[in-house]
Amino acid sequence: MNIIDILANKRDKKKHSKEELEYLVKATLSGEIKDYQISAWLMAAYINGLDLEETTELTKLVAYSGDVLDLSSIKGTKVDKHSSGGVGDKVTLVLAPLLASAGLIVAKISGRGLGHTGGTVDKLEAIPGMRTSLSIDEFKNQLNEIGVSVIGQTQNLTPVDKIFYALRDVTATVDNIPLIVVSILSKKIAAGADIILLDIKFGSGAFMKTLENARNLAKMIVEVAKKLNKSVIVALSDMDQPLGYMIGHSLEVEEAIKTLKGKGPPDLTKICLKYGAILLYQAKKARSLEDAENILKRNINSGKALEKFKEMIIAQDGNPEVINNFDLMPKAEHKIEINSPKAGFITNLDAYKVAQSAKLLGAGRDKKEDEIDLSVGVELKVKKGAKVDKGQVLAILHANNLKYIEKAISEIEDAFSFDTKPPEQLPLVREVIY
Ligand code: URA
């Protein structure tokens, strides 16, 4: 077998055999095939496609290209939740302790932010002392003791996905459904949970811009997962506007804690309860989705969910006092108000532009190595559908370095659209695919 034949086959729209895919993954990992050959294959696969069988086989091979976590020694149902990346998406910070408070084991390996989307690991690091890089033994011990751990990826999970992804990023081959299925699902399989909920975002702030594309991706994920005997549920949610009101690291932790106290924004609270109920029901810890949602609401109202978050912070060496004192997290020096240029209804609040504004303030990175400022970000005062007066505060920019402030202000001003009539409001979670 050699790579030239494999490349020629995909160039000529032929279906890969199992052996060809095996060779492709092994030789990618060993370095036997070069970046330019892998890139050529990625482009051929992007243009000519991979069918269900090829995608399933490749997902399995990539999942097992490195370590695969074995969580079988931990008692209970292990669940995982993954978002395809959004703006102001702090769902994991709320959902992980909330589900653990209801008896599930939440084993979550999260990523850092890149481009316009934020990452859970960076957000957690706004909590003073919080360690996100745990060994696998520490991770498992923590899961056994308190039922929840959220960490960054330090182990050698899916190394071939890392190689593929880095090359896709620079060869315009990211937005391809089979390649995305392989990438997302292989990582989730390697992370070892029994039940996985994938939150696929669509809209201006997501990498899937339309509901239709997101639905096609979801259907293929569910089909491939079934073939691999994995329980995966995919929810499709709207990312046209940011989730909640806070965008930025300290700001998002603050909003997540408020949500665990029952005082969070309605959209964030709703999505956490909905996803939580799906996982709880799927894990057979509730008689119905309604019953599951009631259990979760009770755990928020009684303080049990917040207590679980506190336990997680303590277990990962963070300062649990943040729960009552948000000033313990990094704070920005300047607060700049953005006022409404006119009266009317907010008909659109472009998530991508809000994220760009936060990034210009220092909350985001272009390259993995870039430093970020955990204290800065955007605090929205109104969202889509709100009726505002001229001059009313629409948002507050939390800033330190004012180098790009004019651009950040202009992005946030551009993010708002106005009309005299209220916009149509559609549900946040549009579909759930099992
Ligand atoms: N997220 C991933 O992990 N992989 C992709 O290919 C796209 C989004």
Side-chain angles (χ1 to χ4, degrees), residues 82 84 165 168 174 179-180 183-184 187 207:
H82 176 86
S84 65
Y165 199 85
R168 285 168 62 207
V174 170
L179 294 178
I180 298 173
S183 173
I184 294 183
K187 287 195 282 271
F207 74 99

PDB file of all heavy atoms in Angstrom, residues 82 84 165 168 174 179-180 183-184 187 207, ligand 1:
ATOM      1  N   HIS A  82     -20.684  18.317  24.844  1.00  0.00           N
ATOM      2  CA  HIS A  82     -19.712  19.044  24.036  1.00  0.00           C
ATOM      3  C   HIS A  82     -20.439  20.041  23.165  1.00  0.00           C
ATOM      4  O   HIS A  82     -21.463  19.726  22.571  1.00  0.00           O
ATOM      5  CB  HIS A  82     -18.948  18.031  23.167  1.00  0.00           C
ATOM      6  CG  HIS A  82     -17.983  18.664  22.223  1.00  0.00           C
ATOM      7  ND1 HIS A  82     -16.700  18.986  22.592  1.00  0.00           N
ATOM      8  CD2 HIS A  82     -18.108  19.037  20.933  1.00  0.00           C
ATOM      9  CE1 HIS A  82     -16.080  19.527  21.558  1.00  0.00           C
ATOM     10  NE2 HIS A  82     -16.911  19.579  20.537  1.00  0.00           N
ATOM     11  N   SER A  84     -20.170  22.746  19.891  1.00  0.00           N
ATOM     12  CA  SER A  84     -19.330  22.970  18.716  1.00  0.00           C
ATOM     13  C   SER A  84     -18.753  24.384  18.717  1.00  0.00           C
ATOM     14  O   SER A  84     -18.102  24.785  17.765  1.00  0.00           O
ATOM     15  CB  SER A  84     -20.121  22.695  17.442  1.00  0.00           C
ATOM     16  OG  SER A  84     -21.161  23.625  17.314  1.00  0.00           O
ATOM     17  N   TYR A 165      -6.579  18.299  12.012  1.00  0.00           N
ATOM     18  CA  TYR A 165      -7.248  19.586  12.263  1.00  0.00           C
ATOM     19  C   TYR A 165      -6.329  20.765  11.934  1.00  0.00           C
ATOM     20  O   TYR A 165      -6.755  21.741  11.304  1.00  0.00           O
ATOM     21  CB  TYR A 165      -7.766  19.683  13.703  1.00  0.00           C
ATOM     22  CG  TYR A 165      -8.826  20.759  13.786  1.00  0.00           C
ATOM     23  CD1 TYR A 165     -10.152  20.470  13.477  1.00  0.00           C
ATOM     24  CD2 TYR A 165      -8.494  22.067  14.086  1.00  0.00           C
ATOM     25  CE1 TYR A 165     -11.119  21.460  13.473  1.00  0.00           C
ATOM     26  CE2 TYR A 165      -9.448  23.064  14.079  1.00  0.00           C
ATOM     27  CZ  TYR A 165     -10.762  22.748  13.781  1.00  0.00           C
ATOM     28  OH  TYR A 165     -11.713  23.730  13.766  1.00  0.00           O
ATOM     29  N   ARG A 168      -6.298  21.068   8.257  1.00  0.00           N
ATOM     30  CA  ARG A 168      -7.590  21.543   7.730  1.00  0.00           C
ATOM     31  C   ARG A 168      -7.709  23.047   7.906  1.00  0.00           C
ATOM     32  O   ARG A 168      -8.223  23.764   7.051  1.00  0.00           O
ATOM     33  CB  ARG A 168      -8.749  20.834   8.439  1.00  0.00           C
ATOM     34  CG  ARG A 168      -8.936  19.401   7.961  1.00  0.00           C
ATOM     35  CD  ARG A 168      -9.879  18.653   8.882  1.00  0.00           C
ATOM     36  NE  ARG A 168     -11.196  19.234   8.910  1.00  0.00           N
ATOM     37  CZ  ARG A 168     -12.045  19.144   9.943  1.00  0.00           C
ATOM     38  NH1 ARG A 168     -11.691  18.477  11.026  1.00  0.00           N
ATOM     39  NH2 ARG A 168     -13.223  19.700   9.888  1.00  0.00           N
ATOM     40  N   VAL A 174     -12.023  22.849   6.649  1.00  0.00           N
ATOM     41  CA  VAL A 174     -12.670  22.647   7.954  1.00  0.00           C
ATOM     42  C   VAL A 174     -14.154  22.316   7.788  1.00  0.00           C
ATOM     43  O   VAL A 174     -14.652  21.364   8.374  1.00  0.00           O
ATOM     44  CB  VAL A 174     -12.487  23.881   8.870  1.00  0.00           C
ATOM     45  CG1 VAL A 174     -13.355  23.763  10.126  1.00  0.00           C
ATOM     46  CG2 VAL A 174     -11.033  24.025   9.288  1.00  0.00           C
ATOM     47  N   LEU A 179     -15.622  15.113   7.598  1.00  0.00           N
ATOM     48  CA  LEU A 179     -14.384  15.412   8.346  1.00  0.00           C
ATOM     49  C   LEU A 179     -14.699  15.958   9.740  1.00  0.00           C
ATOM     50  O   LEU A 179     -13.989  15.660  10.708  1.00  0.00           O
ATOM     51  CB  LEU A 179     -13.509  16.404   7.560  1.00  0.00           C
ATOM     52  CG  LEU A 179     -12.923  15.880   6.237  1.00  0.00           C
ATOM     53  CD1 LEU A 179     -12.112  16.974   5.536  1.00  0.00           C
ATOM     54  CD2 LEU A 179     -12.035  14.649   6.453  1.00  0.00           C
ATOM     55  N   ILE A 180     -15.770  16.728   9.864  1.00  0.00           N
ATOM     56  CA  ILE A 180     -16.155  17.235  11.191  1.00  0.00           C
ATOM     57  C   ILE A 180     -16.655  16.073  12.063  1.00  0.00           C
ATOM     58  O   ILE A 180     -16.347  15.986  13.255  1.00  0.00           O
ATOM     59  CB  ILE A 180     -17.240  18.337  11.090  1.00  0.00           C
ATOM     60  CG1 ILE A 180     -16.718  19.547  10.318  1.00  0.00           C
ATOM     61  CG2 ILE A 180     -17.689  18.779  12.485  1.00  0.00           C
ATOM     62  CD1 ILE A 180     -17.775  20.603  10.023  1.00  0.00           C
ATOM     63  N   SER A 183     -13.748  14.219  13.381  1.00  0.00           N
ATOM     64  CA  SER A 183     -13.025  15.010  14.377  1.00  0.00           C
ATOM     65  C   SER A 183     -13.751  15.049  15.726  1.00  0.00           C
ATOM     66  O   SER A 183     -13.170  14.759  16.771  1.00  0.00           O
ATOM     67  CB  SER A 183     -12.833  16.425  13.813  1.00  0.00           C
ATOM     68  OG  SER A 183     -12.296  17.268  14.776  1.00  0.00           O
ATOM     69  N   ILE A 184     -15.028  15.390  15.698  1.00  0.00           N
ATOM     70  CA  ILE A 184     -15.768  15.540  16.963  1.00  0.00           C
ATOM     71  C   ILE A 184     -15.977  14.177  17.625  1.00  0.00           C
ATOM     72  O   ILE A 184     -15.710  13.999  18.814  1.00  0.00           O
ATOM     73  CB  ILE A 184     -17.134  16.240  16.731  1.00  0.00           C
ATOM     74  CG1 ILE A 184     -16.923  17.691  16.273  1.00  0.00           C
ATOM     75  CG2 ILE A 184     -17.988  16.201  17.991  1.00  0.00           C
ATOM     76  CD1 ILE A 184     -18.198  18.496  16.090  1.00  0.00           C
ATOM     77  N   LYS A 187     -12.927  12.286  19.198  1.00  0.00           N
ATOM     78  CA  LYS A 187     -12.495  12.851  20.495  1.00  0.00           C
ATOM     79  C   LYS A 187     -13.433  12.399  21.614  1.00  0.00           C
ATOM     80  O   LYS A 187     -13.005  12.111  22.723  1.00  0.00           O
ATOM     81  CB  LYS A 187     -12.480  14.383  20.421  1.00  0.00           C
ATOM     82  CG  LYS A 187     -11.322  14.927  19.595  1.00  0.00           C
ATOM     83  CD  LYS A 187     -11.113  16.403  19.824  1.00  0.00           C
ATOM     84  CE  LYS A 187     -12.087  17.277  19.109  1.00  0.00           C
ATOM     85  NZ  LYS A 187     -11.745  17.695  17.767  1.00  0.00           N
ATOM     86  N   PHE A 207     -19.795  27.829  13.587  1.00  0.00           N
ATOM     87  CA  PHE A 207     -19.120  27.497  12.334  1.00  0.00           C
ATOM     88  C   PHE A 207     -20.086  26.878  11.329  1.00  0.00           C
ATOM     89  O   PHE A 207     -19.815  26.841  10.134  1.00  0.00           O
ATOM     90  CB  PHE A 207     -17.847  26.666  12.558  1.00  0.00           C
ATOM     91  CG  PHE A 207     -18.085  25.231  12.929  1.00  0.00           C
ATOM     92  CD1 PHE A 207     -18.011  24.230  11.978  1.00  0.00           C
ATOM     93  CD2 PHE A 207     -18.361  24.887  14.238  1.00  0.00           C
ATOM     94  CE1 PHE A 207     -18.234  22.911  12.331  1.00  0.00           C
ATOM     95  CE2 PHE A 207     -18.585  23.577  14.593  1.00  0.00           C
ATOM     96  CZ  PHE A 207     -18.530  22.582  13.637  1.00  0.00           C
TER      97      PHE A 207
HETATM   98  N1  URA B   1     -14.899  21.031  16.227  1.00  0.00           N
HETATM   99  C1  URA B   1     -14.053  19.972  16.167  1.00  0.00           C
HETATM  100  O1  URA B   1     -13.618  19.471  17.192  1.00  0.00           O
HETATM  101  N2  URA B   1     -13.705  19.505  14.960  1.00  0.00           N
HETATM  102  C2  URA B   1     -14.153  20.007  13.804  1.00  0.00           C
HETATM  103  O2  URA B   1     -13.822  19.513  12.757  1.00  0.00           O
HETATM  104  C3  URA B   1     -15.020  21.124  13.868  1.00  0.00           C
HETATM  105  C4  URA B   1     -15.375  21.605  15.104  1.00  0.00           C
END
